[in-house]
Amino acid sequence: MDFQLTDDQRALRTGMRELLERRFPRTRLRAVVDGDTARGDGDTGRGGALDRELWRELGAAGLFALRVAESAGGVGRGLPEVVLAFEEAGRALLPGPLVATELAAGLSGSLAAGAAQGETVVTALDEGGAPVEYLASADVVLALGPTAVEVIPAAEVARSAEPMRSVDPATPLHRTAPSRTRPDQAEQMDPADRMDQADRTAQAPRTAQAGTGRSGPAARLRREAALLTAAQQLGSASRTVELAVDHAKHRTQFGRPIGAFQAVQHLCAQMLVRAESARSVVYAAAVTEDPGDIAAAKLLADEAAVHNARDCLQVHGGMGFTWEADVHLHLKRAWVRAGQWQSGAAAEEELAAGLVSTVETCL
């Protein structure tokens, strides 16, 4: 099996990186973070408002329409291409409910119309009760129940939600009741949405029916969300390798670059191994869409993002703890993403269930 990127995929990755360098440079990231800090009111629920202009720019560039059919005005690509784009988004610490908006962009004739163009901001609510990001800035919420999916106005969810403190200054979070999603959500969906969900499920029957017992549109969307979150973690892990190596080359102690010391070299080498190990598994999961592969990808990507950010901070020394350094932003975002969609415990359960199933089949 050849996992080398095609010319088109390499061009997509390069184009996405150049797009983000132009539309979301470091100065814009710092404006988002520093603006939230300057408010100083201690209410993180009101901080981190989404930049609508940037969102429309991303939509116009086709970020949310990569998997939308060309006949519907999209790009007509597949999940591997979206993973490459989201890896670049994670590398640039691009804020916003990217995963939920991408998942909703394929829905037609619903409240989520306009998501593909960046005109409608969509966040997500899972039945497990995980915090909802950017609820105050969202237009609609993609609510995932046990098996089905519902698109509901964000204002309806906001009435029973409470802001909570977020460790990431660029990711505002709200806490909602786990019972907000209902088992009969399929009845709330727009008929066009249900048809679209059925079509997309039919395109991937193996992934919809595999896993630890659950199937249907909601299970499939959860797996895709976990994979796209893993892709962002991978991008962050790769970026912190670059930051650590660059700092090790230029920071001097005792008249030598700190990268000349073996202890620093080992730290950077371990970071690279983590990032590249996660990359191979994330890319493989994007091709196979197997639930076990996606669980492994989320586990390795979370580990790579969190541990690489910590090691990068250690290479930076005391400078890494200052507000001016970006490494702490990568660490905080990695912590938030590690708790989104498929936590480490949930991914381990998925892998264990798959292993047990394989053993039982062989007996």
Side-chain angles (χ1 to χ4, degrees):
M1 185 176 293
D2 184 6
F3 278 112
Q4 294 294 321
L5 300 183
T6 65
D7 292 341
D8 288 345
Q9 289 172 333
R10 281 193 288 269
L12 170 66
R13 185 173 61 182
T14 301
M16 183 67 186
R17 183 171 300 187
E18 293 174 350
L19 169 70
L20 291 178
E21 288 174 351
R22 292 195 308 271
R23 305 293 177 85
F24 191 70
R26 183 176 183 275
T27 53
R28 203 162 180 175
L29 168 65
R30 300 306 308 198
V32 172
V33 175
D34 295 340
D36 183 61
T37 304
R39 209 178 339 267
D41 57 9
D43 187 351
T44 55
R46 286 186 291 165
L50 188 71
D51 186 340
R52 288 274 183 166
E53 179 184 357
L54 172 63
W55 210 250
R56 293 190 184 94
E57 290 174 352
L58 295 173
L63 175 61
F64 306 121
L66 283 172
R67 285 195 293 169
V68 177
E70 292 182 85
S71 59
V75 182
R77 308 299 295 186
L79 192 57
E81 284 75 21
V82 182
V83 164
L84 292 175
F86 272 61
E87 179 185 348
E88 292 303 317
R91 184 178 181 277
L93 286 176
L94 185 64
L98 299 165
V99 171
T101 302
E102 198 283 336
L103 294 179
L107 306 179
S108 59
S110 73
L111 293 172
Q117 295 77 29
E119 297 294 335
T120 301
V121 179
V122 185
T123 189
L125 169 62
D126 198 1
E127 61 162 347
V132 180
E133 61 178 0
Y134 283 92
L135 179 59
S137 301
D139 299 307
V140 296
V141 177
L142 186 67
L144 305 184
T147 58
V149 183
E150 180 185 17
V151 179
I152 52 182
E156 183 180 332
V157 178
R159 282 197 292 270
S160 59
E162 297 180 354
M164 59 184 293
R165 186 170 296 278
S166 172
V167 68
D168 178 15
T171 306
L173 299 174
H174 277 74
R175 181 185 294 107
T176 62
S179 58
R180 177 60 189 84
T181 54
R182 300 183 292 272
D184 58 343
Q185 288 162 341
E187 299 302 319
Q188 307 299 321
M189 291 185 64
D190 184 280
D193 285 355
R194 291 201 295 272
M195 181 177 297
D196 181 81
Q197 291 288 350
D199 289 344
R200 293 176 67 175
T201 302
Q203 293 171 3
R206 179 171 57 84
T207 58
Q209 295 170 7
T212 57
R214 284 192 173 182
S215 61
R220 181 179 55 77
L221 290 181
R222 283 192 186 90
R223 286 194 291 271
E224 293 179 356
L227 178 60
L228 297 183
T229 304
Q232 293 178 81
Q233 294 282 58
L234 170 60
S236 179
S238 302
R239 179 57 181 155
T240 49
V241 175
E242 297 171 3
L243 292 174
V245 171
D246 184 68
H247 186 76
K249 287 180 178 177
H250 295 93
R251 176 70 171 174
T252 59
Q253 281 188 341
F254 309 110
R256 304 168 61 189
I258 63 173
F261 298 105
Q262 194 174 54
V264 176
Q265 293 173 0
H266 283 181
L267 273 181
C268 294
Q270 290 166 355
M271 293 173 65
L272 180 62
V273 169
R274 285 194 206 103
E276 292 307 310
S277 299
R279 183 187 310 282
S280 61
V281 180
V282 169
Y283 285 5
V287 174
T288 66
E289 301 184 34
D290 180 82
D293 291 346
I294 291 175
K298 185 64 164 53
L299 266 177
L300 288 178
D302 284 346
E303 179 185 359
V306 172
H307 286 269
N308 276 15
R310 285 175 172 167
D311 285 351
C312 182
L313 195 149
Q314 187 169 351
V315 171
H316 278 71
M319 185 183 300
F321 288 91
T322 63
W323 188 256
E324 288 74 18
D326 288 348
V327 56
H328 73 94
L329 298 176
H330 280 278
L331 179 58
K332 292 169 179 173
R333 186 71 62 84
W335 278 334
V336 171
R337 289 200 194 106
Q340 290 178 319
W341 293 109
Q342 193 171 42
S343 65
E348 290 170 353
E349 289 293 333
E350 178 78 47
L351 289 172
L355 182 61
V356 170
S357 176
T358 301
V359 172
E360 289 176 345
T361 303
C362 295
L363 292 178

